[in-house]
Amino acid sequence: MKLFTLICSLAIILSVNAQPKDAKGLKANSASPKDEKELKIIPAAHRTQVYLPLLKGKRVGIFANHTATIGDRHLVDTLYTLGVKITKAFGPEHGFRGTADAGEKIDNYVDPYTGIPVVSLYGKKRKPSAEDLADVDVLLFDIQDVGTRFYTYISSLQEFMDAAFEHGKPLMILDRPNPNGFYVDGPILDTAYKSFVGMQPIPIVYGMTMGEYALMLAGEKWLSPKANERYEYYRRAKNSPPDTLFHFQVIKNQNYTHKSQYELPAKPSPNLPDMSSIYWYASTCFFEGTVLSEGRGTDHPFSIFGHPYLPKNMYAFTPTSRDGAKEPKLKDRQSYGWNLFGTKDEVLKKVDNKIQLKYLLEAYKLFPDKDNFFIKPKSEKPTDYFFNKLAGSDQLMNQIKAGKTEKEIRDSWAPGIAAFKKIRKQYLLYLDFE
């Protein structure tokens, strides 16, 4: 079966006659590389003429946060103004409006701007219940991702897809560009280390948009057993009145390709405040699993990192309490380390389309108390180390302890990356970077 036919059958897109005039379903409509720099990238949410007809007369439940915008307005506020009947909103880590600390527990509440009930899907409850969906006809998903495995919004997407398919609710994903979508790199997760910061056997940087990743979750049968079973029904089902026009639909970005270097219009979470942090995140998030500060509580989280025990001739900084990082690691303790903050072009040149391991390796080499460099869980089981959950296995930790070079570590990743790229190619909606 040809790739286009396969993807179309997977997504259960609208028939040609039923689509709005400029809706292309999952068929490529991205700009050519020549046009890419000339045309403005338009996130799917802005393409209201494509998807609003599909929501007409439906009770809509929306999974979103502050990054789900049309212009400078929240998607929910815009749709509410346009007369879309929104009966329920769902929020991920950091909350529906994006103001909570990382890991902060958020209770259900009523959105003060619209009066819409908001159900928190972060913490013990990670997917909507049948009760939550009782007054919903169609589910909508719109979140700005940053393209790394341990950024929890792709885990939220998976749980939301599970709930949608398990309860037979049509799901529409409004795609957004991936700011790190122009390369693939990192170790493949071993599912023995599966957690909310890594649920599938993918590399740390996977080079896919949320819409493409959703197609892969469904196509590779990585959802719950019941959701996979329901998806098989969707794949074969033919819609007819009075059915909804779709079961699972991805609305594409316009003029985006995987060669694009998309700058986010708003920070995706409190501790990724700028493009420097977003580009360095794949390389420096590892420090969350160590005793070093990863820069929370500074002006440039994930671009700044270090520890009081590192040499005092290095860059000095002191993490402090602030919005989005009320209790940062090493709060109020002067630390020494690196400041990698820079302009977009400066940082892209240093990152060089790959995870930069040299800072992690150098930090371990310089740290005097190597037995306590990695944060130890009470159990001390390899699967319980947070560093290993971030890395996807205990291999990287063992390689660092053994003094392996960056080249030796990267060579160990190569077979897994090559195998993943073959899977990834099947689900791409946009022109690839290679």
PDB file of all heavy atoms in Angstrom, residues 291 293 298 306-309 316-320 328-336:
ATOM      1  N   VAL A 291      22.539  16.249  40.809  1.00  0.00           N
ATOM      2  CA  VAL A 291      22.457  17.218  41.898  1.00  0.00           C
ATOM      3  C   VAL A 291      22.735  18.635  41.420  1.00  0.00           C
ATOM      4  O   VAL A 291      22.600  19.591  42.186  1.00  0.00           O
ATOM      5  CB  VAL A 291      23.430  16.852  43.042  1.00  0.00           C
ATOM      6  CG1 VAL A 291      23.008  15.547  43.690  1.00  0.00           C
ATOM      7  CG2 VAL A 291      24.862  16.785  42.546  1.00  0.00           C
ATOM      8  N   SER A 293      22.115  22.198  39.480  1.00  0.00           N
ATOM      9  CA  SER A 293      20.985  23.025  39.056  1.00  0.00           C
ATOM     10  C   SER A 293      20.914  23.010  37.544  1.00  0.00           C
ATOM     11  O   SER A 293      21.942  23.113  36.857  1.00  0.00           O
ATOM     12  CB  SER A 293      21.180  24.467  39.543  1.00  0.00           C
ATOM     13  OG  SER A 293      20.305  25.347  38.860  1.00  0.00           O
ATOM     14  N   THR A 298      16.680  30.930  37.526  1.00  0.00           N
ATOM     15  CA  THR A 298      17.523  31.943  36.892  1.00  0.00           C
ATOM     16  C   THR A 298      16.749  32.548  35.728  1.00  0.00           C
ATOM     17  O   THR A 298      15.650  32.093  35.389  1.00  0.00           O
ATOM     18  CB  THR A 298      18.846  31.351  36.375  1.00  0.00           C
ATOM     19  OG1 THR A 298      18.593  30.565  35.203  1.00  0.00           O
ATOM     20  CG2 THR A 298      19.516  30.479  37.429  1.00  0.00           C
ATOM     21  N   GLY A 306      24.785  24.372  36.826  1.00  0.00           N
ATOM     22  CA  GLY A 306      26.005  24.240  37.615  1.00  0.00           C
ATOM     23  C   GLY A 306      25.719  23.823  39.040  1.00  0.00           C
ATOM     24  O   GLY A 306      24.600  23.412  39.381  1.00  0.00           O
ATOM     25  N   HIS A 307      26.753  23.980  39.917  1.00  0.00           N
ATOM     26  CA  HIS A 307      26.661  23.498  41.298  1.00  0.00           C
ATOM     27  C   HIS A 307      27.688  24.243  42.156  1.00  0.00           C
ATOM     28  O   HIS A 307      28.747  24.652  41.655  1.00  0.00           O
ATOM     29  CB  HIS A 307      26.948  21.993  41.344  1.00  0.00           C
ATOM     30  CG  HIS A 307      26.621  21.352  42.651  1.00  0.00           C
ATOM     31  ND1 HIS A 307      27.494  21.352  43.712  1.00  0.00           N
ATOM     32  CD2 HIS A 307      25.507  20.690  43.071  1.00  0.00           C
ATOM     33  CE1 HIS A 307      26.938  20.712  44.736  1.00  0.00           C
ATOM     34  NE2 HIS A 307      25.737  20.311  44.374  1.00  0.00           N
ATOM     35  N   PRO A 308      27.408  24.409  43.454  1.00  0.00           N
ATOM     36  CA  PRO A 308      28.388  25.072  44.337  1.00  0.00           C
ATOM     37  C   PRO A 308      29.742  24.357  44.399  1.00  0.00           C
ATOM     38  O   PRO A 308      30.756  24.990  44.711  1.00  0.00           O
ATOM     39  CB  PRO A 308      27.692  25.037  45.713  1.00  0.00           C
ATOM     40  CG  PRO A 308      26.235  24.985  45.394  1.00  0.00           C
ATOM     41  CD  PRO A 308      26.128  24.158  44.153  1.00  0.00           C
ATOM     42  N   TYR A 309      29.791  23.051  44.120  1.00  0.00           N
ATOM     43  CA  TYR A 309      31.038  22.297  44.239  1.00  0.00           C
ATOM     44  C   TYR A 309      31.923  22.371  43.003  1.00  0.00           C
ATOM     45  O   TYR A 309      33.056  21.884  43.014  1.00  0.00           O
ATOM     46  CB  TYR A 309      30.742  20.818  44.519  1.00  0.00           C
ATOM     47  CG  TYR A 309      30.175  20.515  45.884  1.00  0.00           C
ATOM     48  CD1 TYR A 309      29.799  19.216  46.226  1.00  0.00           C
ATOM     49  CD2 TYR A 309      29.996  21.518  46.840  1.00  0.00           C
ATOM     50  CE1 TYR A 309      29.266  18.919  47.471  1.00  0.00           C
ATOM     51  CE2 TYR A 309      29.464  21.230  48.079  1.00  0.00           C
ATOM     52  CZ  TYR A 309      29.101  19.936  48.384  1.00  0.00           C
ATOM     53  OH  TYR A 309      28.573  19.644  49.626  1.00  0.00           O
ATOM     54  N   ALA A 316      29.269  32.195  37.606  1.00  0.00           N
ATOM     55  CA  ALA A 316      28.596  32.184  38.906  1.00  0.00           C
ATOM     56  C   ALA A 316      27.144  32.624  38.764  1.00  0.00           C
ATOM     57  O   ALA A 316      26.831  33.568  38.030  1.00  0.00           O
ATOM     58  CB  ALA A 316      29.318  33.110  39.877  1.00  0.00           C
ATOM     59  N   PHE A 317      26.256  31.907  39.469  1.00  0.00           N
ATOM     60  CA  PHE A 317      24.836  32.254  39.464  1.00  0.00           C
ATOM     61  C   PHE A 317      24.197  31.730  40.744  1.00  0.00           C
ATOM     62  O   PHE A 317      24.742  30.848  41.407  1.00  0.00           O
ATOM     63  CB  PHE A 317      24.130  31.667  38.239  1.00  0.00           C
ATOM     64  CG  PHE A 317      24.047  30.160  38.231  1.00  0.00           C
ATOM     65  CD1 PHE A 317      22.908  29.498  38.691  1.00  0.00           C
ATOM     66  CD2 PHE A 317      25.117  29.403  37.764  1.00  0.00           C
ATOM     67  CE1 PHE A 317      22.837  28.115  38.682  1.00  0.00           C
ATOM     68  CE2 PHE A 317      25.049  28.014  37.748  1.00  0.00           C
ATOM     69  CZ  PHE A 317      23.907  27.367  38.207  1.00  0.00           C
ATOM     70  N   THR A 318      23.041  32.271  41.078  1.00  0.00           N
ATOM     71  CA  THR A 318      22.320  31.848  42.285  1.00  0.00           C
ATOM     72  C   THR A 318      20.851  31.654  41.944  1.00  0.00           C
ATOM     73  O   THR A 318      20.152  32.639  41.641  1.00  0.00           O
ATOM     74  CB  THR A 318      22.455  32.891  43.408  1.00  0.00           C
ATOM     75  OG1 THR A 318      23.835  33.096  43.704  1.00  0.00           O
ATOM     76  CG2 THR A 318      21.736  32.415  44.671  1.00  0.00           C
ATOM     77  N   PRO A 319      20.339  30.417  41.976  1.00  0.00           N
ATOM     78  CA  PRO A 319      18.907  30.200  41.740  1.00  0.00           C
ATOM     79  C   PRO A 319      18.072  30.840  42.852  1.00  0.00           C
ATOM     80  O   PRO A 319      18.422  30.736  44.033  1.00  0.00           O
ATOM     81  CB  PRO A 319      18.771  28.670  41.775  1.00  0.00           C
ATOM     82  CG  PRO A 319      20.161  28.150  41.529  1.00  0.00           C
ATOM     83  CD  PRO A 319      21.074  29.159  42.159  1.00  0.00           C
ATOM     84  N   THR A 320      17.009  31.505  42.479  1.00  0.00           N
ATOM     85  CA  THR A 320      16.125  32.147  43.454  1.00  0.00           C
ATOM     86  C   THR A 320      14.678  31.778  43.163  1.00  0.00           C
ATOM     87  O   THR A 320      14.336  31.363  42.057  1.00  0.00           O
ATOM     88  CB  THR A 320      16.270  33.677  43.406  1.00  0.00           C
ATOM     89  OG1 THR A 320      15.964  34.138  42.086  1.00  0.00           O
ATOM     90  CG2 THR A 320      17.686  34.108  43.775  1.00  0.00           C
ATOM     91  N   PRO A 328      13.309  26.219  43.434  1.00  0.00           N
ATOM     92  CA  PRO A 328      14.273  25.627  42.500  1.00  0.00           C
ATOM     93  C   PRO A 328      15.370  24.860  43.223  1.00  0.00           C
ATOM     94  O   PRO A 328      15.646  25.122  44.406  1.00  0.00           O
ATOM     95  CB  PRO A 328      14.849  26.841  41.783  1.00  0.00           C
ATOM     96  CG  PRO A 328      14.749  27.943  42.793  1.00  0.00           C
ATOM     97  CD  PRO A 328      13.453  27.679  43.518  1.00  0.00           C
ATOM     98  N   LYS A 329      15.956  23.924  42.533  1.00  0.00           N
ATOM     99  CA  LYS A 329      17.086  23.179  43.077  1.00  0.00           C
ATOM    100  C   LYS A 329      18.215  24.159  43.431  1.00  0.00           C
ATOM    101  O   LYS A 329      18.470  25.109  42.693  1.00  0.00           O
ATOM    102  CB  LYS A 329      17.575  22.164  42.047  1.00  0.00           C
ATOM    103  CG  LYS A 329      18.544  21.114  42.578  1.00  0.00           C
ATOM    104  CD  LYS A 329      19.147  20.299  41.462  1.00  0.00           C
ATOM    105  CE  LYS A 329      18.142  19.538  40.670  1.00  0.00           C
ATOM    106  NZ  LYS A 329      18.770  18.769  39.561  1.00  0.00           N
ATOM    107  N   LEU A 330      18.874  23.953  44.575  1.00  0.00           N
ATOM    108  CA  LEU A 330      19.971  24.795  45.065  1.00  0.00           C
ATOM    109  C   LEU A 330      19.536  26.253  45.258  1.00  0.00           C
ATOM    110  O   LEU A 330      20.297  27.189  45.045  1.00  0.00           O
ATOM    111  CB  LEU A 330      21.172  24.734  44.107  1.00  0.00           C
ATOM    112  CG  LEU A 330      21.760  23.332  43.871  1.00  0.00           C
ATOM    113  CD1 LEU A 330      22.878  23.384  42.847  1.00  0.00           C
ATOM    114  CD2 LEU A 330      22.255  22.736  45.173  1.00  0.00           C
ATOM    115  N   LYS A 331      18.289  26.405  45.686  1.00  0.00           N
ATOM    116  CA  LYS A 331      17.732  27.742  45.925  1.00  0.00           C
ATOM    117  C   LYS A 331      18.633  28.558  46.853  1.00  0.00           C
ATOM    118  O   LYS A 331      19.058  28.078  47.912  1.00  0.00           O
ATOM    119  CB  LYS A 331      16.338  27.600  46.531  1.00  0.00           C
ATOM    120  CG  LYS A 331      15.673  28.902  46.929  1.00  0.00           C
ATOM    121  CD  LYS A 331      14.337  28.626  47.610  1.00  0.00           C
ATOM    122  CE  LYS A 331      13.725  29.880  48.209  1.00  0.00           C
ATOM    123  NZ  LYS A 331      12.480  29.581  48.952  1.00  0.00           N
ATOM    124  N   ASP A 332      18.943  29.783  46.435  1.00  0.00           N
ATOM    125  CA  ASP A 332      19.717  30.765  47.195  1.00  0.00           C
ATOM    126  C   ASP A 332      21.165  30.333  47.459  1.00  0.00           C
ATOM    127  O   ASP A 332      21.852  30.948  48.287  1.00  0.00           O
ATOM    128  CB  ASP A 332      19.032  31.101  48.534  1.00  0.00           C
ATOM    129  CG  ASP A 332      17.672  31.735  48.332  1.00  0.00           C
ATOM    130  OD1 ASP A 332      17.475  32.409  47.305  1.00  0.00           O
ATOM    131  OD2 ASP A 332      16.793  31.542  49.198  1.00  0.00           O
ATOM    132  N   ARG A 333      21.654  29.341  46.758  1.00  0.00           N
ATOM    133  CA  ARG A 333      23.058  28.900  46.922  1.00  0.00           C
ATOM    134  C   ARG A 333      23.865  29.309  45.687  1.00  0.00           C
ATOM    135  O   ARG A 333      23.490  28.964  44.559  1.00  0.00           O
ATOM    136  CB  ARG A 333      23.139  27.388  47.108  1.00  0.00           C
ATOM    137  CG  ARG A 333      22.515  26.894  48.398  1.00  0.00           C
ATOM    138  CD  ARG A 333      22.698  25.396  48.540  1.00  0.00           C
ATOM    139  NE  ARG A 333      24.107  25.023  48.611  1.00  0.00           N
ATOM    140  CZ  ARG A 333      24.562  23.765  48.611  1.00  0.00           C
ATOM    141  NH1 ARG A 333      23.684  22.769  48.512  1.00  0.00           N
ATOM    142  NH2 ARG A 333      25.848  23.518  48.680  1.00  0.00           N
ATOM    143  N   GLN A 334      24.929  30.040  45.915  1.00  0.00           N
ATOM    144  CA  GLN A 334      25.752  30.447  44.783  1.00  0.00           C
ATOM    145  C   GLN A 334      26.371  29.207  44.139  1.00  0.00           C
ATOM    146  O   GLN A 334      26.947  28.357  44.813  1.00  0.00           O
ATOM    147  CB  GLN A 334      26.857  31.407  45.195  1.00  0.00           C
ATOM    148  CG  GLN A 334      27.636  31.952  44.003  1.00  0.00           C
ATOM    149  CD  GLN A 334      28.498  33.151  44.346  1.00  0.00           C
ATOM    150  OE1 GLN A 334      28.985  33.263  45.457  1.00  0.00           O
ATOM    151  NE2 GLN A 334      28.677  34.058  43.386  1.00  0.00           N
ATOM    152  N   SER A 335      26.231  29.120  42.839  1.00  0.00           N
ATOM    153  CA  SER A 335      26.696  27.958  42.095  1.00  0.00           C
ATOM    154  C   SER A 335      27.614  28.415  40.971  1.00  0.00           C
ATOM    155  O   SER A 335      27.650  29.593  40.588  1.00  0.00           O
ATOM    156  CB  SER A 335      25.503  27.188  41.527  1.00  0.00           C
ATOM    157  OG  SER A 335      24.653  26.732  42.573  1.00  0.00           O
ATOM    158  N   TYR A 336      28.339  27.440  40.427  1.00  0.00           N
ATOM    159  CA  TYR A 336      29.312  27.730  39.384  1.00  0.00           C
ATOM    160  C   TYR A 336      29.122  26.712  38.256  1.00  0.00           C
ATOM    161  O   TYR A 336      28.881  25.534  38.507  1.00  0.00           O
ATOM    162  CB  TYR A 336      30.735  27.651  39.945  1.00  0.00           C
ATOM    163  CG  TYR A 336      30.917  28.488  41.182  1.00  0.00           C
ATOM    164  CD1 TYR A 336      30.724  27.930  42.455  1.00  0.00           C
ATOM    165  CD2 TYR A 336      31.210  29.848  41.102  1.00  0.00           C
ATOM    166  CE1 TYR A 336      30.845  28.699  43.603  1.00  0.00           C
ATOM    167  CE2 TYR A 336      31.327  30.628  42.242  1.00  0.00           C
ATOM    168  CZ  TYR A 336      31.150  30.052  43.486  1.00  0.00           C
ATOM    169  OH  TYR A 336      31.259  30.819  44.617  1.00  0.00           O
TER     170      TYR A 336
END
